Amino acid sequence: MKRDFLTLQDISSDEFAAIIKRASELKSGKDAHACPLMGKSIGLLFDKTSTRTRISFQTGIYQLGAQPIYINSKELQLGRGETVEDTAKVISRYLHGIVIRTFAHSTIEKLASNSSIPIVNGLTDLHHPCQALADMLTIWEQKGTLKDVRLVYVGDGNNVANSLIEAALHTGVDLAIACPRGYEPDRNIFQNVKDNGGNVQLYIDPEEAVKDADVIYTDVWISMGQERETERRRQIFKKYQVNKELLSLAKPDAIVMHCLPAHREEEITSEVLDSPQSVVIDQAENRLHTQKAMLEMLIR
Ligand code: CP
Ligand code: NVA
């Protein structure tokens, strides 16, 4: 039976912990020459631009012994009207897995239900589960634990925020989300995690939220596909900038995270992004290790 990784709900908390542990082993160089996916081919089907996801998957798949095949979906017959269903059935006969980055989350669900091979979510408008895996490894490395670490996400309740909420349920991270009214994370995801005992809270006031924070995390105010809302969003999120003043309200040893790419001087100042408290480059590196551990688990 094939397994997909569309959201963090597709894995158990034990599997989540196993991925973090295995990623840390791989990062330390263990099994560097093992090629568990030797002879396999994995497609990378991208509808949106990417630096980290694309390059870390291409590199990681190669390091696991498999062949990555990058496909800009505009160059497929999909772009000329071939259905997702037909495409999924056909490419399942060639490939051993697909990483896809697209807009609507329903597209990835349709691809998964029509494919006989594992489908991995490389970001949709609703979720970014691979990012949250790397984020949790980064926090674990920095703080030595995940349980009860106070993670405060400041900004738009977007795909990155939604996946952090699901990660909180798996890890016991104490997650606060500070966002303007109307820009909260997905209501169903939030409620489901809360109902299942996840430690997640919503705030309007970023200054109140970041008190006692161990980690301050932010993401762009204008996600891919929202470019037409740029001016409105810049006004609405103005008070949610992660800057020196906001950081000073957190614990003195708080770290700063951002999934990148950053819009400097918008959601975060360069002063904070480039400060010694920022771990964003380690966080980006950890995409490679956590995705390799996840692929080892998923692809047979
Ligand atoms: N964080 C992240 O997913 O980056 P890319 O958009 O560059 O892949
Ligand atoms: N929320 C951002 C994340 C980019 C990695 C976006 O969807 O564009």
Side-chain angles (χ1 to χ4, degrees):
M1 179 70 177
K2 67 121 172 185
R3 288 191 66 186
D4 300 313
F5 185 61
L6 307 190
T7 77
L8 289 174
Q9 289 185 51
D10 288 328
I11 57 172
S12 68
S13 299
D14 285 349
E15 286 172 328
F16 192 105
I19 290 172
I20 301 295
K21 181 166 176 271
R22 179 64 179 147
S24 176
E25 278 176 12
L26 291 169
K27 186 172 183 177
S28 73
K30 187 163 186 252
D31 298 331
H33 303 290
C35 290
L37 302 187
M38 181 65 102
K40 300 200 185 313
S41 298
I42 299 177
L44 299 169
L45 186 52
F46 278 53
D47 271 341
K48 290 175 174 170
T49 52
S50 169
T51 298
R52 281 142 288 271
T53 308
R54 174 181 176 172
I55 298 174
S56 58
F57 266 114
Q58 281 188 302
T59 306
I61 289 165
Y62 170 77
Q63 289 175 357
L64 292 171
Q67 168 191 220
I69 302 177
Y70 177 77
I71 310 153
N72 176 337
S73 30
K74 284 198 196 76
E75 293 167 12
L76 290 182
Q77 297 291 9
L78 259 177
R80 294 181 56 247
E82 188 169 16
T83 64
V84 172
E85 289 88 337
D86 287 349
T87 307
K89 286 174 195 153
V90 171
I91 63 181
S92 290
R93 300 287 175 99
Y94 308 137
L95 300 170
H96 300 88
I98 299 170
V99 179
I100 170 172
R101 168 168 284 199
T102 191
F103 292 88
H105 193 72
S106 56
T107 303
I108 202 169
E109 289 174 336
K110 205 191 283 180
L111 183 70
S113 59
N114 286 280
S115 303
S116 53
I117 54 174
I119 306 299
V120 171
N121 184 351
L123 181 146
T124 60
D125 290 344
L126 198 60
H127 291 270
H128 198 1
C130 295
Q131 181 67 51
L133 287 178
D135 298 342
M136 293 300 129
L137 173 60
T138 310
I139 296 171
W140 179 77
E141 288 173 336
Q142 294 288 331
K143 300 289 171 191
T145 180
L146 291 171
K147 180 111 191 71
D148 298 330
V149 169
R150 183 156 176 85
L151 165 58
V152 182
Y153 175 96
V154 180
D156 187 20
N158 59 17
N159 42 13
V160 168
N162 290 333
S163 288
L164 286 174
I165 291 169
E166 294 193 335
L169 185 60
H170 283 314
T171 58
V173 154
D174 168 13
L175 176 65
I177 309 258
C179 54
R181 216 183 288 283
Y183 293 84
E184 295 88 356
D186 182 83
R187 191 190 297 262
N188 293 332
I189 294 171
F190 186 83
Q191 203 52 49
N192 180 50
V193 166
K194 229 179 160 42
D195 291 346
N196 283 288
N199 197 357
V200 290
Q201 312 103 43
L202 279 182
Y203 289 80
I204 302 268
D205 180 1
E207 297 188 357
E208 190 190 342
V210 299
K211 276 190 198 120
D212 292 326
D214 296 298
V215 183
I216 296 186
Y217 193 129
T218 191
D219 183 19
V220 291
W221 295 340
I222 300 118
S223 283
M224 290 179 275
Q226 297 175 332
E227 289 76 8
R228 273 187 298 185
E229 299 171 36
T230 298
E231 278 320 312
R232 183 159 57 85
R233 284 177 165 270
R234 279 192 183 137
Q235 290 308 316
I236 288 167
F237 285 101
K238 232 181 203 158
K239 279 202 273 173
Y240 292 80
Q241 186 187 65
V242 174
N243 52 34
K244 204 173 67 181
E245 289 69 38
L246 195 70
L247 184 55
S248 72
L249 302 175
K251 285 188 184 160
D253 65 347
I255 55 168
V256 175
M257 298 178 71
H258 191 309
C259 59
L260 303 179
H263 290 173
R264 286 167 178 264
E265 319 312 333
E266 207 166 277
E267 76 277 1
I268 190 164
T269 58
S270 288
E271 188 178 24
V272 169
L273 193 68
D274 299 330
S275 75
Q277 281 169 273
S278 166
V279 296
V280 299
I281 305 299
D282 291 331
Q283 184 184 354
E285 177 188 336
N286 284 340
R287 296 289 306 275
L288 174 67
H289 311 298
T290 43
Q291 287 161 191
K292 283 170 72 181
M294 179 269 297
L295 289 173
E296 266 188 356
M297 193 189 90
L298 221 65
I299 313 259
R300 304 267 151 224

